[in-house]
Amino acid sequence: MPRPIVATIHLESMQHNLARARQCTPHAKAWGVVKANGYGHGLERAMRGFAAADGLALIEFDNAVRLRELGWSKPIMLLEGFFDASDLHTMAQYDLNGAVHCEQQLAWLEAATLPRKLNLHLKMNTGMNRLGFKPEAFAAAHARLRALDCVGEITMMTHFANADELAHPGLPIREQIRRFELGAAGLPGARSLSNSAGVLQASELADVLANDWVRPGIMLYGGTPGGKSAADFGLLPTMTLASEIIGIQDIEAGDMVGYGSRFQADGPMRVGVVACGYADGYPRHAPLGTPVLVDGVRTRLVGRVSMDMLTVDLTPIPQARVGSAVTLWGKGMPIDEVAEAAGTIGYELMCALAPRVRVVEG
């Protein structure tokens, strides 16, 4: 028998979440973001789950090529663009779109001779201050691209820093939109502004937000970028990490549990040992009280997460036994709730799923 931990990927939930993104932005085309191995779900599963997307977006060249080899014929976009002049020939060979966000990339394009035109996304830095041309430099970069024989369509793009908090005191989304409109004024081409947070706030921004393409990511996998819960946004979990109780200890008041003896019992209690640890992708830093489901009943993590095991309080589940079902996150246990308790985000938990965990579809 295999070790009982298993991650179940729910393809129907992936399809539902993509449809939800389309409901939010009915006039825009949608890139399904599948970077980081489909947020830990597997690239091939993400391709099938988002088969209805207008294109797939990621950052890894090898996975972009793999998508073509798997039969994806619609557009593919490299969100960070290309990293060397030689990458341009790979983009041309496999018909890959790419972001252009810096002077060096422009120079590589200006020196290139390619067998086909590349469709590109010119990125504007509207305050995120990671990648992109400042608004005042954007028109000049656009003109340089437009002058090149190797460039086809140019889509204008930016990335929102705080779309989950419309009135963010440091950088509200409307200010980023204002900067984008200023930098892109008079320039031809489609526009791609909204990440998951922007998509989910689209109705609140209908007066100022014009998307020809949107780039939903975490929402497609049933997580929320913030603001409200995934369920509140009408999203379904796409990954359920489940295991079983493999041992039970009856302890007394004063007894301690786990490495470092961090948890001390106040009175008699039963402690369940779960076949899941940080080597499976569960966060080692998850604190006392992190929620867990045992036989469908909510309980809490006790003691420090170890490499292969974690321990839970079975007091609320007197019927629990060796073999009882445990849900670490997913259906019945929102991944964002687990992540918040652990001081991280659902993205990290999904992406951290370890190779040793058996993955099935269901």
Side-chain angles (χ1 to χ4, degrees):
M1 289 292 291
R3 187 161 170 261
I5 188 169
V6 60
T8 302
I9 307 302
H10 312 294
L11 294 185
E12 290 185 358
S13 295
M14 298 170 82
Q15 296 161 1
H16 167 91
N17 294 339
L18 175 60
R20 180 76 185 98
R22 291 196 183 281
Q23 289 173 354
C24 293
T25 53
H27 303 297
K29 294 181 180 179
W31 294 107
V33 179
V34 297
K35 61 184 179 177
N37 194 33
Y39 284 53
H41 291 63
L43 187 69
E44 187 270 342
R45 293 185 197 92
M47 187 184 82
R48 290 190 287 122
F50 307 134
D54 298 290
L56 297 178
L58 69 174
I59 64 172
E60 306 91 353
F61 264 79
D62 55 343
N63 280 343
V65 171
R66 186 173 166 221
L67 285 172
R68 288 289 185 232
E69 293 171 344
L70 287 168
W72 183 264
S73 59
K74 289 187 278 187
I76 297 173
M77 204 252 285
L78 294 158
L79 290 164
E80 292 180 355
F82 42 100
F83 306 102
D84 186 82
S86 62
D87 293 335
L88 293 170
H89 294 277
T90 303
M91 292 173 66
Q93 179 182 355
Y94 291 96
D95 190 18
L96 307 177
N97 297 4
V100 177
H101 58 75
C102 68
E103 173 67 30
Q104 182 62 73
Q105 290 175 322
L106 283 176
W108 285 331
L109 281 163
E110 288 171 335
T113 301
L114 300 175
R116 75 161 78 198
K117 291 181 181 292
L118 301 180
N119 295 327
L120 300 172
H121 280 58
L122 183 61
K123 190 162 193 177
M124 188 189 302
N125 174 12
T126 56
M128 185 78 159
N129 287 319
R130 295 192 313 188
L131 302 177
F133 295 91
K134 295 288 181 66
E136 59 270 22
F138 193 76
H142 190 281
R144 288 172 66 182
L145 285 182
R146 189 68 284 150
L148 298 178
D149 291 336
C150 65
V151 173
E153 296 177 1
I154 302 172
T155 299
M156 295 174 286
M157 176 172 66
T158 194
H159 192 68
F160 294 139
N162 305 303
D164 56 313
E165 188 179 348
L166 293 183
H168 189 279
L171 184 62
I173 186 173
R174 287 176 181 268
E175 172 59 18
Q176 286 196 261
I177 294 171
R178 185 194 70 80
R179 295 176 187 180
F180 180 85
E181 294 293 346
L182 183 66
L187 299 178
R191 299 180 173 208
S192 177
L193 284 78
S194 290
N195 52 7
S196 287
V199 169
L200 293 168
Q201 299 284 10
S203 62
E204 299 295 323
L205 298 164
D207 58 324
V208 293
L209 186 58
N211 283 298
D212 296 294
W213 284 86
V214 293
R215 308 183 307 275
I218 190 63
M219 69 174 293
L220 299 183
Y221 303 93
T224 175
K228 294 189 291 186
S229 72
D232 288 339
F233 283 124
L235 304 172
L236 299 177
T238 60
M239 176 193 290
T240 297
L241 183 63
S243 189
E244 295 179 1
I245 299 291
I246 61 170
I248 294 175
Q249 296 290 336
D250 293 295
I251 65 174
E252 303 296 330
D255 286 346
M256 299 179 183
V257 177
Y259 286 120
S261 300
R262 293 173 60 186
F263 175 78
Q264 186 172 27
D266 293 331
M269 65 181 294
R270 298 175 78 220
V271 174
V273 181
V274 181
C276 177
Y278 61 76
D280 300 299
Y282 197 89
R284 182 180 182 273
H285 54 276
L288 169 68
T290 299
V292 181
L293 289 183
V294 177
D295 283 341
V297 179
R298 178 180 288 250
T299 185
R300 59 179 181 147
L301 189 73
V302 295
R304 178 177 285 167
V305 176
S306 58
M307 181 179 286
D308 309 305
M309 290 172 276
L310 56 81
T311 44
V312 297
D313 181 5
L314 295 182
T315 304
I317 315 109
Q319 76 278 11
R321 55 178 178 76
V322 170
S324 285
V326 177
T327 301
L328 287 312
W329 63 66
K331 289 188 174 181
M333 177 53 62
I335 192 169
D336 292 316
E337 189 174 341
V338 178
E340 183 177 4
T344 185
I345 53 177
Y347 307 64
E348 183 178 14
L349 299 188
M350 294 178 189
C351 293
L353 185 71
R356 77 176 188 175
V357 176
R358 185 164 51 101
V359 180
V360 301
E361 296 175 15

